[in-house]
Amino acid sequence: YNDDTIASRPHDNPDLYGQVTQACYTFLGPVATTWFRFIDSGQIAKWPTLRDQFDIIYLPAARYLRPEITAKLHAFVKSGGTLICSDPEAFQTDLWGNDTSHWRTATFGVTVEAASPARHIQPTAAAKIQSLPIHGPAFRLTPQKPVEILATFDDGTPAITSHKLGTGRAVLFASHLFWPTHVAEPQWRAFFQWFVPHMGTPDSFDIWNFKLPENLIWQEPPQHGSCLTNNRVVWRDDRP
């Protein structure tokens, strides 16, 4: 939960970074049935090291990061950890606007260029998954070091790369694959059910095998009287 990046949103802007974080939770939890814990920027800044606590870290939002946090994530990979980042603009600047993209190249082995017109992703044949539609912006990844290509766009450029660094690996997506509209699409759910255990995360935890009893699910209460204009609406979760 990268609060450095999430806190960058003006209150009247679309909540992109919050939404991709929520989608990451859904894909890792109910979809891929893994069990995980949240960590935030303050904890990473405080802890001397990450590798003694974690094997795999998912980073759904990473455009802005304090330099010391970027350095610790880099060190986490070098010491054997797996860093999976779904933000193609990861490590773009620090909190003061200074360019820190050299950390992105050093960690993920690629440079990120202008937006790509790609609209579909084709995972590697091992995934046995059909073409995946993308609804968010896509970027062009140019490898600067040897990287493994885990998926490509429909124009043949890399969509997911994996860079070996030290004894670990850093995986970068060229588009926000943790996109809210992807959550409901069967092909995306099938992809993450393959991808997450392929990255080494245990899955099939029984804690996700539950269904809320009907009596706990909110139902619209009966309304008294009549609406003369026949335009009454229920306002729920800030939406009519």
Side-chain angles (χ1 to χ4, degrees), residues 11 41 55 60 62 79 86 119-120 134 136 158 171 179 184-185 201 217 228 232:
H11 79 280
S41 301
D55 297 317
S79 59
S86 68
R119 302 310 323 151
H120 290 83
I134 54 175
V171 177
W179 199 256
E185 297 183 345
T201 302
I217 299 176
L228 298 180
R232 179 184 62 85

Side-chain angles (χ1 to χ4, degrees), residues 192-214:
F192 277 103
Q193 287 167 347
W194 168 82
F195 177 80
V196 172
H198 181 71
M199 289 290 104
T201 302
D203 60 352
S204 302
F205 282 81
D206 284 339
I207 194 164
W208 298 106
N209 295 332
F210 69 90
K211 182 177 181 180
L212 290 174
E214 289 294 328

Side-chain angles (χ1 to χ4, degrees), residues 146-159:
V147 298
E148 179 184 1
I149 308 299
L150 302 181
T152 57
F153 286 126
D154 43 23
D155 62 1
T157 58

Side-chain angles (χ1 to χ4, degrees), residues 36-47:
F36 51 90
R37 59 180 288 196
F38 284 96
I39 57 176
D40 62 18
S41 301
Q43 289 172 298
I44 293 178
K46 178 178 66 175
W47 292 329

Side-chain angles (χ1 to χ4, degrees), residues 112-118 137-140 155 174:
V112 178
E113 301 171 28
S116 165
F139 293 78
R140 192 172 298 278
D155 62 1

